Amino acid sequence: MTYEELIEETGAIIGIDGFTPDADGVCILVSDIGEIVIMDCKDAARELVLLNAAVCEVPPDANAALLEALRANSGFKDTKGATLSVDPETKRFELSQYAALEDLDPDRFVAMVEDFATTLVNVRERLEDASLAGEEPPAETAAALGLGEFLRG
């Protein structure tokens, strides 16, 4: 299955007709928790599908926030295999996860996106609960209620 076929079939499962990547292999899912960017990436050995999302702003006094982010990332216990990082340009915490295209089918990919979205909400809330997030995100981004229904259509 090609990346384009995976995205199109995933769109059919979640009820988004015509869900296709752009010329650069990028597409964006938008829901009540914000945007999840999906990208086609290739490394030397295989084709990868990458998920990426902004978590929250890095606060001006970042030491405590970075410590909490590293705790969440420790052994991937709170990130379920995703990686938490800081984008130096946007000064935001970001969550990223990838899988080999060859290991995915549309149902597995939908499950991966659902797990990623749940992890995004959990990490965001963890940083917010610890009063470590810079700017508070809009209220609608703090809840994942209805995400499964949104993704499955």
Side-chain angles (χ1 to χ4, degrees):
M1 168 172 285
T2 67
Y3 172 74
E4 291 78 11
E5 292 168 338
L6 175 70
I7 298 301
E8 288 175 22
E9 290 186 32
T10 298
I13 291 171
I14 63 177
I16 302 175
D17 292 330
F19 189 55
T20 57
D22 66 15
D24 295 322
V26 176
C27 53
I28 300 173
L29 278 175
V30 180
S31 73
D32 62 340
I33 63 164
E35 295 181 349
I36 296 176
V37 179
I38 304 167
M39 293 179 267
D40 181 30
C41 302
K42 294 175 177 65
D43 70 7
R46 59 194 170 166
E47 188 167 3
L48 304 172
V49 178
L50 175 73
L51 302 178
N52 185 274
V55 176
C56 63
E57 298 288 330
V58 175
D61 177 20
N63 289 339
L66 291 172
L67 183 58
E68 187 62 23
L70 289 171
R71 283 186 189 127
N73 217 34
S74 177
F76 301 115
K77 65 181 179 192
D78 294 330
T79 59
K80 296 183 181 177
T83 301
L84 194 55
S85 62
V86 174
D87 182 313
E89 290 182 25
T90 64
K91 296 190 176 27
R92 287 184 165 260
F93 284 106
E94 291 191 345
L95 191 68
S96 300
Q97 186 170 12
Y98 72 89
L101 177 63
E102 65 196 35
D103 295 337
L104 295 172
D105 61 35
D107 290 326
R108 284 188 195 137
F109 186 60
V110 168
M112 178 182 169
V113 173
E114 287 176 334
D115 285 346
F116 181 83
T118 300
T119 299
L120 172 63
V121 170
N122 291 340
V123 169
R124 185 179 286 152
E125 288 177 351
R126 180 175 178 157
L127 291 175
E128 289 171 1
D129 288 347
S131 299
L132 299 175
E135 294 180 17
E136 189 171 325
E140 68 270 10
T141 66
L145 296 176
L147 178 65
E149 286 76 31
F150 171 80
L151 291 175
R152 294 230 185 253

